[in-house]
Coordinates of all heavy atoms in Angstrom, one line a residue:
M1 N -1.9 -117.5 45.8 CA -0.8 -116.9 45.1 C -1.4 -115.7 44.3 O -2.4 -115.9 43.5 CB -0.2 -117.9 44.1 CG 1.0 -117.3 43.4 SD 1.9 -118.7 42.5 CE 1.6 -118.2 40.8
V2 N -0.8 -114.5 44.4 CA -1.4 -113.3 43.8 C -0.5 -113.0 42.6 O 0.8 -112.9 42.7 CB -1.4 -112.1 44.8 CG1 -1.8 -110.9 44.0 CG2 -2.3 -112.4 45.9
N3 N -1.1 -112.9 41.4 CA -0.3 -112.5 40.2 C -0.5 -111.0 40.0 O -1.6 -110.6 39.7 CB -0.9 -113.3 39.0 CG -0.1 -113.0 37.7 OD1 0.8 -112.2 37.7 ND2 -0.4 -113.8 36.7
K4 N 0.6 -110.2 40.2 CA 0.5 -108.8 40.1 C 1.2 -108.3 38.8 O 1.8 -107.2 38.8 CB 1.1 -108.2 41.4 CG 0.6 -106.8 41.8 CD -0.9 -106.8 41.8 CE -1.3 -105.3 42.1 NZ -2.5 -104.9 41.5
D5 N 1.1 -109.1 37.8 CA 1.7 -108.7 36.5 C 0.8 -107.7 35.7 O 1.2 -107.2 34.7 CB 2.0 -109.9 35.6 CG 3.0 -110.8 36.2 OD1 3.8 -110.4 37.1 OD2 3.0 -112.0 35.9
Y6 N -0.4 -107.5 36.2 CA -1.3 -106.7 35.5 C -2.1 -105.8 36.5 O -2.1 -106.0 37.7 CB -2.4 -107.5 34.7 CG -3.0 -108.6 35.5 CD1 -4.1 -108.3 36.3 CD2 -2.5 -109.9 35.5 CE1 -4.7 -109.3 37.1 CE2 -3.1 -110.9 36.2 CZ -4.2 -110.6 37.0 OH -4.8 -111.5 37.8
D7 N -2.7 -104.7 35.9 CA -3.4 -103.7 36.8 C -4.6 -103.2 36.0 O -4.7 -103.5 34.8 CB -2.4 -102.6 37.2 CG -2.8 -101.9 38.5 OD1 -3.8 -102.4 39.1 OD2 -2.1 -101.0 38.9
L8 N -5.4 -102.4 36.7 CA -6.6 -101.9 36.1 C -6.2 -101.0 34.9 O -5.3 -100.2 34.9 CB -7.3 -101.0 37.1 CG -8.8 -100.6 36.8 CD1 -9.6 -101.8 36.6 CD2 -9.3 -99.7 37.9
H9 N -6.9 -101.1 33.8 CA -6.8 -100.4 32.5 C -5.6 -100.8 31.7 O -5.2 -100.1 30.8 CB -6.9 -98.9 32.8 CG -8.1 -98.4 33.4 ND1 -9.3 -98.5 32.7 CD2 -8.4 -97.9 34.6 CE1 -10.3 -98.1 33.5 NE2 -9.7 -97.7 34.7
D10 N -4.9 -101.9 32.1 CA -3.8 -102.4 31.2 C -4.5 -103.0 30.0 O -5.6 -103.5 30.0 CB -3.0 -103.5 31.9 CG -2.0 -102.9 33.0 OD1 -1.9 -101.7 33.1 OD2 -1.4 -103.7 33.7
I11 N -3.8 -103.0 28.9 CA -4.2 -103.7 27.6 C -3.4 -105.1 27.7 O -2.2 -105.1 27.7 CB -3.8 -102.9 26.4 CG1 -4.5 -101.5 26.4 CG2 -4.4 -103.7 25.2 CD1 -6.0 -101.5 26.5
V12 N -4.1 -106.2 27.6 CA -3.5 -107.5 27.7 C -3.8 -108.3 26.5 O -4.8 -108.0 25.8 CB -4.0 -108.3 29.0 CG1 -3.5 -107.5 30.3 CG2 -5.5 -108.5 29.0
Q13 N -3.0 -109.3 26.2 CA -3.2 -110.2 25.1 C -3.6 -111.5 25.7 O -3.0 -112.0 26.6 CB -1.9 -110.4 24.3 CG -2.1 -111.4 23.1 CD -0.8 -111.5 22.4 OE1 0.2 -111.0 22.7 NE2 -0.8 -112.4 21.4
M14 N -4.7 -112.1 25.2 CA -5.2 -113.4 25.6 C -4.7 -114.5 24.7 O -4.2 -114.2 23.6 CB -6.7 -113.4 25.7 CG -7.3 -112.3 26.5 SD -6.8 -112.3 28.3 CE -7.9 -113.5 28.9
R15 N -4.8 -115.7 25.2 CA -4.2 -116.8 24.4 C -5.0 -117.0 23.1 O -4.4 -117.4 22.0 CB -4.2 -118.1 25.2 CG -3.2 -118.0 26.4 CD -2.8 -119.4 26.9 NE -1.9 -119.2 28.0 CZ -0.6 -119.0 28.0 NH1 -0.1 -118.8 26.8 NH2 0.1 -118.9 29.0
K16 N -6.3 -116.9 23.1 CA -7.1 -117.1 21.9 C -7.7 -115.8 21.5 O -8.2 -115.0 22.4 CB -8.3 -118.1 22.2 CG -7.9 -119.5 22.4 CD -9.0 -120.4 22.6 CE -8.6 -121.8 22.9 NZ -9.8 -122.7 23.0
P17 N -7.8 -115.5 20.2 CA -8.3 -114.3 19.7 C -9.9 -114.2 19.9 O -10.5 -115.3 19.9 CB -7.9 -114.2 18.2 CG -7.7 -115.6 17.9 CD -7.2 -116.3 19.1
H18 N -10.4 -113.1 20.0 CA -11.9 -112.9 20.1 C -12.4 -113.2 18.7 O -11.8 -113.0 17.7 CB -12.2 -111.5 20.5 CG -13.6 -111.2 20.9 ND1 -14.4 -110.4 20.1 CD2 -14.4 -111.7 21.9 CE1 -15.6 -110.4 20.7 NE2 -15.6 -111.2 21.8
P19 N -13.7 -113.6 18.6 CA -14.3 -113.9 17.2 C -14.2 -112.7 16.3 O -14.3 -112.8 15.1 CB -15.7 -114.2 17.6 CG -15.6 -114.9 18.9 CD -14.6 -114.1 19.6
C20 N -14.2 -111.4 16.8 CA -14.1 -110.3 15.9 C -12.7 -110.1 15.3 O -12.5 -109.3 14.4 CB -14.4 -109.0 16.7 SG -13.2 -108.4 17.9
G21 N -11.7 -110.9 15.8 CA -10.4 -110.9 15.2 C -9.3 -110.3 16.0 O -8.1 -110.5 15.6
T22 N -9.6 -109.5 17.0 CA -8.5 -108.9 17.8 C -8.2 -109.7 19.0 O -8.9 -110.6 19.4 CB -9.0 -107.5 18.2 OG1 -7.9 -106.8 18.8 CG2 -10.1 -107.5 19.3
N23 N -7.0 -109.5 19.5 CA -6.5 -110.3 20.6 C -6.1 -109.3 21.8 O -5.6 -109.8 22.8 CB -5.2 -111.0 20.2 CG -5.0 -112.3 20.9 OD1 -5.9 -112.7 21.6 ND2 -4.0 -113.0 20.6
A24 N -6.5 -108.1 21.7 CA -6.2 -107.1 22.8 C -7.4 -106.8 23.6 O -8.5 -106.5 23.0 CB -5.7 -105.8 22.1
W25 N -7.3 -106.8 24.9 CA -8.4 -106.6 25.8 C -7.9 -105.6 26.9 O -6.8 -105.6 27.3 CB -8.7 -107.9 26.5 CG -9.3 -108.9 25.6 CD1 -8.5 -109.7 24.8 CD2 -10.6 -109.3 25.4 NE1 -9.4 -110.6 24.1 CE2 -10.6 -110.4 24.5 CE3 -11.8 -108.9 26.0 CZ2 -11.8 -111.0 24.1 CZ3 -13.0 -109.5 25.6 CH2 -13.0 -110.5 24.6
E26 N -8.8 -104.7 27.3 CA -8.6 -103.8 28.4 C -9.2 -104.3 29.7 O -10.3 -104.8 29.7 CB -9.1 -102.4 28.1 CG -8.9 -101.4 29.3 CD -9.5 -100.1 29.0 OE1 -10.2 -99.9 28.0 OE2 -9.4 -99.2 29.9
I27 N -8.4 -104.3 30.8 CA -8.9 -104.7 32.1 C -9.8 -103.6 32.6 O -9.2 -102.5 32.9 CB -7.8 -105.1 33.1 CG1 -7.0 -106.3 32.5 CG2 -8.4 -105.5 34.4 CD1 -5.8 -106.6 33.3
I28 N -11.1 -103.8 32.8 CA -11.9 -102.7 33.3 C -12.5 -102.9 34.7 O -13.1 -102.1 35.3 CB -13.1 -102.4 32.3 CG1 -13.9 -103.6 32.1 CG2 -12.5 -101.8 31.1 CD1 -15.2 -103.4 31.2
R29 N -12.2 -104.1 35.3 CA -12.6 -104.4 36.7 C -11.7 -105.4 37.3 O -11.4 -106.5 36.6 CB -14.0 -104.9 36.8 CG -14.5 -105.1 38.2 CD -15.9 -105.8 38.2 NE -16.5 -106.0 39.5 CZ -16.1 -106.9 40.4 NH1 -15.2 -107.8 40.0 NH2 -16.7 -107.0 41.5
L30 N -11.2 -105.2 38.5 CA -10.4 -106.2 39.2 C -11.0 -106.5 40.5 O -11.6 -105.7 41.2 CB -9.0 -105.6 39.5 CG -8.0 -105.6 38.3 CD1 -6.7 -104.9 38.7 CD2 -7.7 -106.9 37.8
G31 N -11.0 -107.8 40.9 CA -11.5 -108.3 42.1 C -11.4 -109.8 42.1 O -10.5 -110.3 41.5
A32 N -12.3 -110.5 42.8 CA -12.4 -111.9 42.7 C -12.7 -112.3 41.3 O -12.1 -113.3 40.7 CB -13.4 -112.5 43.6
D33 N -13.5 -111.5 40.6 CA -13.8 -111.7 39.1 C -13.1 -110.6 38.4 O -13.0 -109.4 38.9 CB -15.3 -111.7 38.8 CG -15.9 -112.9 39.4 OD1 -15.4 -113.9 39.5 OD2 -17.1 -112.7 39.8
I34 N -12.7 -110.8 37.2 CA -12.0 -109.7 36.3 C -12.9 -109.5 35.1 O -13.3 -110.5 34.5 CB -10.6 -110.2 36.0 CG1 -9.8 -110.3 37.2 CG2 -10.0 -109.2 35.0 CD1 -8.3 -110.7 37.0
R35 N -13.2 -108.3 34.8 CA -13.9 -107.9 33.6 C -13.0 -107.3 32.6 O -12.2 -106.4 32.9 CB -15.1 -107.0 33.9 CG -15.9 -106.7 32.6 CD -17.1 -105.8 32.9 NE -18.1 -106.4 33.8 CZ -19.1 -107.1 33.4 NH1 -19.2 -107.4 32.1 NH2 -20.0 -107.6 34.2
I36 N -13.0 -107.8 31.4 CA -12.2 -107.3 30.3 C -13.0 -106.9 29.1 O -14.1 -107.4 28.9 CB -11.1 -108.4 29.9 CG1 -11.8 -109.7 29.4 CG2 -10.1 -108.6 30.9 CD1 -10.8 -110.7 28.9
K37 N -12.5 -105.9 28.4 CA -13.3 -105.3 27.3 C -12.5 -105.5 26.0 O -11.3 -105.1 25.9 CB -13.6 -103.8 27.6 CG -14.4 -103.1 26.5 CD -14.6 -101.7 26.9 CE -15.3 -100.9 25.8 NZ -15.5 -99.5 26.2
C38 N -13.1 -106.0 25.0 CA -12.4 -106.2 23.7 C -12.1 -104.8 23.1 O -13.0 -104.0 23.0 CB -13.3 -107.0 22.8 SG -12.6 -107.3 21.1
Q39 N -10.9 -104.7 22.6 CA -10.5 -103.4 22.0 C -11.0 -103.3 20.5 O -10.9 -102.3 19.9 CB -9.0 -103.3 22.0 CG -8.4 -103.2 23.4 CD -9.0 -101.9 24.1 OE1 -8.5 -100.8 23.8 NE2 -9.9 -102.1 25.0
G40 N -11.5 -104.4 19.9 CA -11.9 -104.4 18.6 C -13.4 -104.0 18.5 O -13.8 -103.1 17.8
C41 N -14.3 -104.8 19.2 CA -15.7 -104.6 19.1 C -16.4 -104.0 20.3 O -17.5 -103.6 20.3 CB -16.4 -105.9 18.7 SG -16.3 -107.2 20.0
G42 N -15.6 -103.9 21.4 CA -16.2 -103.3 22.6 C -17.0 -104.3 23.6 O -17.5 -103.8 24.6
Q43 N -17.1 -105.5 23.2 CA -17.8 -106.5 24.1 C -17.0 -106.7 25.4 O -15.8 -106.7 25.3 CB -18.0 -107.8 23.3 CG -18.7 -108.8 24.2 CD -18.9 -110.2 23.5 OE1 -18.4 -110.4 22.4 NE2 -19.6 -111.1 24.1
S44 N -17.7 -106.8 26.5 CA -17.0 -107.1 27.7 C -17.3 -108.5 28.2 O -18.4 -109.0 28.0 CB -17.3 -106.0 28.8 OG -18.7 -106.2 29.2
V45 N -16.4 -109.1 28.9 CA -16.5 -110.5 29.4 C -16.0 -110.5 30.8 O -15.0 -109.9 31.2 CB -15.6 -111.4 28.6 CG1 -15.6 -112.8 29.1 CG2 -16.0 -111.4 27.1
M46 N -16.7 -111.2 31.7 CA -16.3 -111.3 33.1 C -16.0 -112.8 33.4 O -16.6 -113.7 32.9 CB -17.4 -110.9 34.1 CG -17.0 -110.9 35.5 SD -18.3 -110.2 36.6 CE -17.6 -108.6 36.9
M47 N -14.8 -113.0 34.1 CA -14.4 -114.3 34.4 C -13.7 -114.3 35.7 O -13.2 -113.3 36.2 CB -13.5 -114.9 33.3 CG -12.2 -114.1 33.1 SD -11.1 -114.8 31.8 CE -12.0 -114.3 30.3
P48 N -13.7 -115.5 36.4 CA -12.9 -115.6 37.6 C -11.5 -115.3 37.4 O -10.9 -115.6 36.4 CB -13.2 -117.1 38.0 CG -14.3 -117.5 37.3 CD -14.3 -116.7 36.0
R49 N -10.8 -114.8 38.5 CA -9.4 -114.4 38.4 C -8.5 -115.6 38.0 O -7.6 -115.5 37.2 CB -8.9 -113.8 39.7 CG -7.5 -113.4 39.7 CD -7.1 -112.8 41.1 NE -7.7 -111.5 41.3 CZ -7.1 -110.3 41.1 NH1 -5.9 -110.3 40.6 NH2 -7.7 -109.2 41.3
R50 N -8.8 -116.8 38.6 CA -8.1 -118.0 38.3 C -8.1 -118.3 36.8 O -7.1 -118.6 36.1 CB -8.6 -119.2 39.1 CG -7.9 -120.5 38.7 CD -8.4 -121.6 39.6 NE -7.5 -121.6 40.8 CZ -7.9 -122.2 41.9 NH1 -9.0 -122.8 42.1 NH2 -7.1 -122.2 43.0
E51 N -9.3 -118.2 36.2 CA -9.4 -118.5 34.7 C -8.7 -117.4 33.9 O -8.0 -117.8 32.9 CB -10.9 -118.5 34.4 CG -11.2 -118.8 32.9 CD -12.7 -118.8 32.6 OE1 -13.5 -118.9 33.5 OE2 -13.0 -118.6 31.5
F52 N -8.8 -116.2 34.3 CA -8.1 -115.1 33.6 C -6.6 -115.3 33.7 O -5.9 -115.1 32.6 CB -8.4 -113.7 34.3 CG -7.7 -112.6 33.7 CD1 -8.2 -112.0 32.5 CD2 -6.6 -112.1 34.3 CE1 -7.5 -110.9 32.0 CE2 -5.9 -111.0 33.7 CZ -6.3 -110.4 32.6
N53 N -6.1 -115.7 34.8 CA -4.6 -115.9 34.9 C -4.2 -117.1 34.0 O -3.1 -117.0 33.4 CB -4.2 -116.3 36.4 CG -4.3 -115.1 37.3 OD1 -4.2 -114.0 36.8 ND2 -4.5 -115.4 38.6
K54 N -5.0 -118.1 33.7 CA -4.7 -119.1 32.8 C -4.7 -118.6 31.4 O -3.9 -119.1 30.5 CB -5.6 -120.3 33.0 CG -5.5 -121.1 34.2 CD -6.5 -122.3 34.2 CE -6.5 -123.0 35.6 NZ -7.5 -124.0 35.6
K55 N -5.7 -117.8 31.0 CA -5.9 -117.4 29.6 C -5.1 -116.2 29.2 O -5.0 -116.0 28.0 CB -7.4 -117.1 29.4 CG -8.3 -118.4 29.5 CD -9.7 -118.0 29.2 CE -10.6 -119.3 29.2 NZ -11.9 -119.1 28.9
M56 N -4.6 -115.4 30.1 CA -3.8 -114.2 29.8 C -2.4 -114.6 29.3 O -1.8 -115.5 29.9 CB -3.7 -113.2 30.9 CG -3.1 -111.9 30.5 SD -2.7 -110.9 31.9 CE -1.1 -111.5 32.3
K57 N -2.0 -114.0 28.2 CA -0.7 -114.3 27.7 C 0.4 -113.3 28.1 O 1.4 -113.7 28.7 CB -0.7 -114.4 26.1 CG 0.5 -115.0 25.5 CD 0.2 -115.2 24.0 CE 1.3 -115.9 23.3 NZ 1.1 -116.1 21.9
K58 N 0.1 -112.0 27.9 CA 1.0 -111.0 28.3 C 0.3 -109.6 28.4 O -0.7 -109.4 27.8 CB 2.3 -110.9 27.4 CG 1.9 -110.5 26.0 CD 3.1 -110.5 25.1 CE 2.8 -110.1 23.7 NZ 3.9 -110.0 22.8
V59 N 1.0 -108.7 29.0 CA 0.5 -107.3 29.0 C 1.1 -106.6 27.8 O 2.3 -106.6 27.6 CB 1.0 -106.5 30.3 CG1 0.6 -105.1 30.2 CG2 0.3 -107.2 31.5
I60 N 0.2 -106.0 26.9 CA 0.7 -105.4 25.7 C 1.1 -103.9 26.1 O 2.1 -103.5 25.6 CB -0.4 -105.4 24.6 CG1 -0.8 -106.8 24.2 CG2 0.0 -104.6 23.4 CD1 -2.0 -106.9 23.3
Q61 N 0.2 -103.3 26.8 CA 0.5 -101.9 27.1 C 0.0 -101.6 28.6 O -1.2 -101.6 28.8 CB -0.3 -101.0 26.2 CG 0.0 -99.5 26.4 CD -0.7 -98.6 25.3 OE1 -1.6 -99.1 24.6 NE2 -0.3 -97.4 25.2
P62 N 0.9 -101.3 29.5 CA 0.5 -100.9 30.9 C -0.3 -99.6 30.9 O -0.1 -98.8 30.0 CB 1.8 -100.8 31.6 CG 2.9 -101.5 30.8 CD 2.4 -101.4 29.4
A63 N -1.2 -99.5 31.9 CA -2.0 -98.3 32.0 C -1.2 -97.1 32.2 O -1.5 -96.0 31.7 CB -3.0 -98.5 33.2
S64 N 0.0 -97.2 32.8 CA 0.9 -96.0 33.0 C 1.5 -95.5 31.7 O 1.9 -94.3 31.7 CB 2.0 -96.5 34.0 OG 2.8 -97.5 33.4
Q65 N 1.5 -96.2 30.6 CA 2.0 -95.8 29.4 C 1.0 -95.3 28.4 O 1.3 -94.9 27.3 CB 2.8 -96.9 28.7 CG 4.1 -97.3 29.5 CD 4.9 -98.4 28.8 OE1 4.5 -98.8 27.7 NE2 5.9 -98.8 29.4
Q66 N -0.3 -95.4 28.8 CA -1.4 -94.9 27.9 C -1.6 -93.4 28.0 O -1.4 -92.8 29.0 CB -2.7 -95.6 28.3 CG -2.6 -97.1 28.0 CD -3.9 -97.8 28.4 OE1 -4.9 -97.2 28.5 NE2 -3.8 -99.1 28.6
A67 N -1.9 -92.8 26.9 CA -2.1 -91.4 26.8 C -3.4 -90.9 27.4 O -4.4 -91.6 27.4 CB -2.0 -90.9 25.4

């Protein structure tokens, strides 16, 4: 099952906040693994797509709406 609710460079909200306090992440790599970058401190995390689909809550800002 393919979840196409998100795309490269979308800003997404995860279920748990990052230790730096922010909950917004940018998707910077899509594939079997997905890499996301914290919008607060800049740390990046890579996780399997299945785990990402469980932990993602919603898309905050699609890439098409970013300046």
